[in-house]
Structure formats: structure tokens, C-alpha cells
Amino acid sequence: MTGDPPSVAVVGGGIAGLAAATVLAERGVRVVLHEREPVLGGRVSGWPVGLPDGTSATMSRGFHAFFRQYYNLRSLLRRSDPDLGMLTGLPDYPLRHSSGLRDGFRRVPRTPPFSALGFVALSPSFGPRDLPALRPAAALPLLDIRTRRVHERLDDVSAHDFLDAMGFPAAARHLAFEVFSRSFFADPRELSAAEMALMFHIYFLGSSEGLLFDVPGEPFPQALWDPLAGHLGRHGAEVRTSTSVEAVRPGPSGGHLVVDAAGARPYDAVVLALDTGGLREVVGRSPRLGDAGWRERVARLRNAPPFLVSRLWLDRPVASGRPGFLGTSGYGSLDNVSVLSHWEGEAARWAARTGGSVVELHAYALPSTAVREVEEKRLVDQLHQVYPETRQARVVGARHEWRADCPLFTVGGYRDRPTVRTCDPSVVVAGDLVRTDLPVALMERAATSGFLAANALLERWGVRGETLWTVPDQGRSALLRAVARRFGAR
């Protein structure tokens, strides 16, 4: 940027907001980032807590898998750690069903299409009677995923019904696809089949990284966001935490006024990098923001059901050989178990000093009628079923996070989701709820949309934006695409 640089307010300090702020600040834009919480990171944030034994620890909203297809998120993190030394790989992505069935992805080939074929061939959830029951014509469209058309074809179908139409075996559905769909914090009956199909493309047929992933070696603030905040500061960005934006109004001489508790401050442009509820609230209090149709679509956005994260500091270790992360199914509301003391430095140091362990439990897509105290107890009881040795452990400390602020990618909801660009070229939107027409999901969608939002503003000022990388936006095999188009179900 040359001359007098424009000013941009980035509203929201999660991954999307941090990505947008980083690219803008690096180009010389005057950036002020507003975050309502006292910490950065959004749904990947962490904050200090005190344990009953006097120890200081870090609590978060729960485990996140940093898949190796997250090219743009990794590009963002490389700003403060070029070698990504803050991430460490886990050896497998193991899955376990209460029936005793177990699966994993360490042995699955990573080269498409052998990745998908290998999953079927190696998975114990596909028995000899299951394969004849599959309906190839219904499954073939998965080989021809085109990201700009998948929602046209499948958004009005639920993930549950799509798997039914394929004749997908119940065991594989519970052990694999249900685990994946619930990672969107949604029941498969409510999740758009387009999102599930896109996820299948990203991890199986569009990339060669497979389903193995990395995790931060220290809590999120220390490993990720404190260093990135330092990078922003060195580029002149102002980070204002504990600052809730109330509204965005037109400026008297162009641009916009961003209103918070301290008053109204003028900016040339605004990035709305908020979660679903936050976007609805800010737009609802900003009657002159966007046009009527856009505002109505934002008002219809829905939050996913509540989820629960329980972290337990135990007085003894779990049994040897327990994985650092385990996806579970059939254990009631329990969706996964992480043994943080196996891979996170802070938890490992506490375990080494006390002889204990640190375990985290997730329950996604809980019923709206669920009672928090009941679910907390139920989740611990389910841990005892998965790892029976924990029945004898004394809980030294416990923290529970009950949240309901994730986007719901509901059946037929794609048309209401905002795009990065709005009818006002000085207002852009970012976040994992945003439509990008690119093969990205979850944290990678947040980072990608943040880069896209920054690029849209920089384009107005004649400045080159960030280069984005994704897996191919269609199946990688022309032969398989042709077979799918010729014989696949319409």
C-alpha cells in the first residue's frame, strides 16, 4: 500500500478475523481488530484457569485436529512459525464402536482413488455381506464432486438419507461417517449431504494427505495466537480484545462507523468475521447494513445444537497404549476422548509432576432439552465404559464448557449462507459459515474466507492479495468422473 493507507475494522478475532487482519496489515492497511472475548482464537481459543491443587492451567473449547489439507490455515500459522514447529503429528486417527468394532486410517493409502478403495477394503466395518448391498449408482456421484455444483445436487438431502440411498452398511456409517458428520456439530439427519460429500472429496478423493492430522504441542494461546498477535503488532495492527461491537453504521462522509462501548470510530471498510449468532446480532442492530434480502438471509442462519467439552485432571494415568485421540460411537453422547497429557506440553508436565493424566471428552449435537449437569455426569460415566481404568481415578480438577455457537449446515440452508462479498463493496464477511465455492471445511474454511475477505478489499485498492491453495475443485481422475456421469444416479 502506498500513500495514505485505508483503515479497516476486523470484527471478530477467531481464525477468519486473524487471517483477514494478517493479510491486510502485511499490505500496509491500518487494521483494528475487535474481539469481544479477552482472548483471541474464537472457537480455538484458550484461557487460564486455576486447579484445586494450586496449579495454573489452560482451558479451551476443546480438541481440534489440524489436518494436513489445511493449506491456508497452515500458511497463516507460518507467519509466526515458518517450520510449523508448534504442531506435532499423531500416529493414527483411531475409531471405536461400543460393539467392539475398531478402525483407523494409518494403514489407508493416501493416493486417490486408492484412499477411498483402501478404506473400504481395510475397514472391518465393511463385511462380505455389505458390499453386495451397496448401490453403486447412488455412490458414484462421490467420484465426481464439483465444488461449484455439489450443493445444487445434494443440499436438499440429509447426510443420513444420502447414506441410506447408497446402501451404506450400518457399522461403517456409525464408525466413520457419523463421526465425521458430528464433527460439524450436527446430527446426520440435519446435516446437508452436500457438506458430507464435500468432506469426502477433501479427505479421500481430492488430496493425498489422508486423514492423519497434527495437534499443537502447547495450548492454543501459547502455540498459535500469542505469536500471531505479535506478528500483527509488528505490522502496525491494533488488537482490541474485550471489545464487543454493537453495530455498524454508514459514515457521514463514506465508509462506516463501528460502534462499541467506547463510541463510534470511522473506517474505510469492515470485515465481519463473526460466528453465526454474532453476525445475526450485529446485522440486526445495524439496519442500514447491506440490503433487505441479505439481512433477511442472515437472520435465517441457524446455530448447531449445543455441545459439551469436559476436561478432567485425574490422579493417575490412563492404561498404557491408550491413543492421544479416539473417535467413539455407540457410547451415548460421547463422541471422542483425548488424552492431552500424551501430546500437549502443559498437560504432560502436570501429569509428570503429579503422576496423573489429563483427559478431555466431547459430546456434539446434544438435544435442545438436555440438562447440562446431567450431561456432564453422563459423559464421565461414558468415559468409564471406554477406559475402565478411569473408574478408580480421583478427579483432581474438572472444567466443563457448554456452548451452542457453531453454524448449522442444515438441509437446504446453503442458499441462505452469506458469501464473502456483499452488495456493499466496503463490507465483507468471513468465517466457517461463509460460502466460498472452494473445497474447504471447518478451520480451513475459516482461514480461507479470511484471506478471501482481505483479497476482496485489497482488489479495490489495486493491491495484490494472498495466494490461496486448495485441493482440486473436482475429482482428480477423469476416468472416474466419466464413469460417475455416465452411470451415477441423478
Side-chain angles (χ1 to χ4, degrees):
M1 190 71 64
T2 58
D4 186 23
S7 60
V8 175
V10 176
V11 185
I15 291 174
L18 289 166
T22 297
V23 171
L24 292 168
E26 288 173 346
R27 272 47 171 199
V29 175
R30 290 182 287 127
V31 174
V32 178
L33 188 150
H34 302 251
E35 168 54 48
R36 66 183 174 188
E37 300 294 333
V39 293
L40 297 174
R43 294 198 294 276
V44 197
S45 63
W47 55 92
V49 295
L51 301 181
D53 65 358
T55 303
S56 177
T58 306
M59 183 57 187
S60 74
R61 296 162 51 100
F63 170 88
H64 282 73
F66 288 70
F67 287 98
R68 293 162 190 173
Q69 296 91 337
Y70 290 178
Y71 312 128
N72 298 315
L73 176 59
R74 288 167 179 261
S75 173
L76 175 65
L77 298 179
R78 281 194 173 95
R79 265 51 180 209
S80 55
D81 185 350
D83 298 325
L84 295 181
M86 84 283 274
L87 298 178
T88 181
L90 295 188
D92 198 2
Y93 183 167
L95 307 171
R96 175 173 159 183
H97 193 269
S98 59
S99 65
L101 205 60
R102 297 170 183 264
D103 210 339
F105 295 96
R106 181 174 54 85
R107 296 182 301 133
V108 174
R110 288 188 245 173
T111 303
F114 303 108
S115 46
L117 297 174
F119 171 67
V120 173
L122 296 172
S123 173
S125 61
F126 283 88
R129 297 180 180 177
D130 295 321
L131 293 179
L134 283 173
R135 302 183 186 95
L140 282 174
L142 291 175
L143 304 177
D144 184 31
I145 296 297
R146 284 166 283 178
T147 55
R148 290 172 175 81
R149 294 186 59 187
V150 66
H151 289 89
E152 296 175 11
R153 299 182 63 182
L154 295 175
D155 195 50
D156 291 321
V157 181
S158 75
H160 176 274
D161 290 346
F162 183 64
L163 293 175
D164 263 356
M166 289 170 53
F168 210 76
R173 179 184 305 196
H174 292 310
L175 199 58
F177 276 95
E178 188 166 308
V179 172
F180 295 152
S181 70
R182 290 177 68 84
S183 69
F184 283 93
F185 302 92
D187 185 283
R189 290 171 179 82
E190 286 200 87
L191 179 69
S192 164
E195 291 294 325
M196 189 197 70
L198 187 61
M199 187 164 54
F200 184 86
H201 171 75
I202 293 168
Y203 296 116
F204 280 109
L205 291 179
S207 68
S208 297
E209 284 83 3
L211 267 163
L212 300 184
F213 55 79
D214 301 322
V215 290
E218 293 293 340
F220 299 137
Q222 296 92 306
L224 310 177
W225 313 131
D226 292 349
L228 190 58
H231 176 81
L232 283 169
R234 289 189 291 274
H235 284 83
E238 179 186 349
V239 176
R240 303 177 66 186
T241 54
S242 301
T243 304
S244 182
V245 168
E246 299 171 4
V248 179
R249 301 172 183 163
S253 55
H256 295 274
L257 298 174
V258 173
V259 184
D260 58 27
R265 185 171 175 176
Y267 295 93
D268 294 302
V270 177
V271 179
L272 298 174
L274 297 153
D275 61 31
T276 306
L279 182 62
R280 283 199 312 263
E281 292 169 7
V282 170
V283 171
R285 294 193 297 260
S286 308
R288 298 174 65 187
L289 190 62
D291 59 25
W294 180 79
R295 293 167 52 76
E296 289 170 4
R297 291 191 296 274
V298 169
R300 287 196 295 265
L301 295 174
R302 293 174 56 193
N303 287 62
F307 67 94
L308 173 64
V309 174
S310 294
R311 187 173 296 187
L312 310 176
W313 286 261
L314 306 178
D315 71 344
R316 64 195 64 193
V318 298
S320 62
R322 298 298 192 196
F325 175 85
L326 175 69
T328 61
S329 183
Y331 292 96
S333 59
L334 181 67
D335 284 295
N336 57 62
V337 181
S338 301
V339 183
L340 270 72
S341 43
H342 282 2
W343 48 265
E344 186 193 87
E346 180 185 274
R349 291 187 291 273
W350 184 90
R353 182 173 57 81
T354 63
S357 57
V358 184
V359 177
E360 184 178 278
L361 318 173
H362 285 200
Y364 303 139
L366 292 168
S368 58
T369 56
V371 178
R372 174 173 177 167
E373 293 75 14
V374 173
E375 295 300 332
E376 290 175 3
K377 183 179 184 302
R378 186 174 290 159
L379 210 55
V380 176
D381 291 340
Q382 291 159 1
L383 167 67
H384 296 162
Q385 296 177 46
V386 179
Y387 293 162
E389 70 274 13
T390 60
R391 294 181 187 275
Q392 310 304 319
R394 181 174 64 88
V395 178
V396 176
R399 293 281 174 166
H400 306 278
E401 285 294 315
W402 179 277
R403 305 278 183 148
D405 54 4
C406 297
L408 179 62
F409 303 117
T410 187
V411 177
Y414 183 74
R415 59 185 66 93
D416 279 343
R417 284 162 52 191
T419 57
V420 168
R421 296 175 187 264
T422 71
C423 60
D424 182 341
S426 64
V427 176
V428 290
V429 185
D432 62 350
L433 60 90
V434 169
R435 292 165 47 181
T436 65
D437 288 333
L438 294 173
V440 289
L442 302 170
M443 290 192 291
E444 178 69 351
R445 183 180 286 153
T448 302
S449 65
F451 285 166
L452 287 170
N455 287 357
L457 295 179
L458 291 170
E459 180 184 346
R460 297 181 63 220
W461 301 316
V463 177
R464 188 176 65 181
E466 185 77 4
T467 299
L468 279 78
W469 293 85
T470 73
V471 303
D473 63 358
Q474 63 179 354
R476 288 170 52 161
S477 167
L479 175 61
L480 291 179
R481 293 200 306 271
V483 169
R485 292 172 192 175
R486 176 68 178 83
F487 299 105
R490 296 293 176 185

